[in-house]
Amino acid sequence: MKFLKSVVATLILCTTLSTVAYDASASTINQTGTSSGQNEFAAQALVAFQFEDVNREFDTNKWFKVPSKKELKLTVVQWSEASDWINKPVLNYVLVDANNETVGSQEVEGTYKNQNHTVSFGTVKEGYYKFVLRNPDSSVPVSGNAYAE
């Protein structure tokens, strides 16, 4: 009986420690800084993607579902190694529906490395969507990442 109590106590301790460790690591992984300096969690992202040296067009090929009518926001970090004070990185983030029709487009100009930038595509209907990125200035290739919620 004494052995059984020690086994049960050990199992409870291990379960508690692993739950605490998992919660702490999940918070660390999902934590992102916002431009306002507050911290938010990207756990509810509908889609996330990375891109590197986009100089014309980049199709994310990541379809995601908007489960109900809602405001769709895209949070972006972008930069260019070729940018200077005249040539800033610029990308058009194009939202495309399942029929490959453009639903909306938002231009993001500038370098966002140490902070992110959020744009809204307004209220979108329930359905499947993806993003296509277009660079209007091929001499300034843009890299970065983004997530939608």
Side-chain angles (χ1 to χ4, degrees):
M1 183 70 162
K2 194 175 195 180
F3 176 74
L4 182 59
K5 284 184 180 178
S6 66
V7 169
V8 170
T10 303
L11 286 173
I12 291 171
L13 179 61
C14 289
T15 303
T16 303
L17 289 176
S18 65
T19 302
V20 169
Y22 174 78
D23 289 345
S25 65
S27 295
T28 303
I29 291 168
N30 292 329
Q31 196 171 17
T32 58
T34 63
S35 58
S36 64
Q38 298 173 340
N39 288 326
E40 293 180 357
F41 293 95
Q44 296 184 12
L46 298 170
V47 67
F49 54 89
Q50 296 179 329
F51 48 94
E52 189 171 335
D53 295 330
V54 175
N55 59 4
R56 294 262 188 234
E57 185 171 288
F58 174 74
D59 186 334
T60 62
N61 285 319
K62 286 193 167 190
W63 292 96
F64 62 95
K65 182 175 176 148
V66 174
S68 61
K69 188 175 178 180
K70 68 175 280 175
E71 180 184 12
L72 184 66
K73 294 180 181 179
L74 183 69
T75 301
V76 174
V77 176
Q78 70 180 30
W79 64 89
S80 176
E81 301 301 328
S83 67
D84 54 31
W85 63 279
I86 294 175
N87 299 310
K88 297 178 182 172
V90 177
L91 277 182
N92 291 311
Y93 294 85
V94 182
L95 181 64
V96 176
D97 68 13
N99 297 318
N100 282 317
E101 299 290 330
T102 298
V103 175
S105 179
Q106 292 291 333
E107 181 177 277
V108 176
E109 178 180 354
T111 298
Y112 297 94
K113 257 184 160 173
N114 297 324
Q115 63 181 5
N116 53 36
H117 182 73
T118 301
V119 294
S120 174
F121 286 84
T123 302
V124 298
K125 298 183 293 187
E126 175 182 348
Y128 288 91
Y129 300 90
K130 70 176 178 176
F131 286 98
V132 175
L133 285 54
R134 295 190 178 124
N135 186 340
D137 184 359
S138 61
S139 67
V140 184
V142 183
S143 299
N145 59 69
Y147 68 89
E149 57 184 351

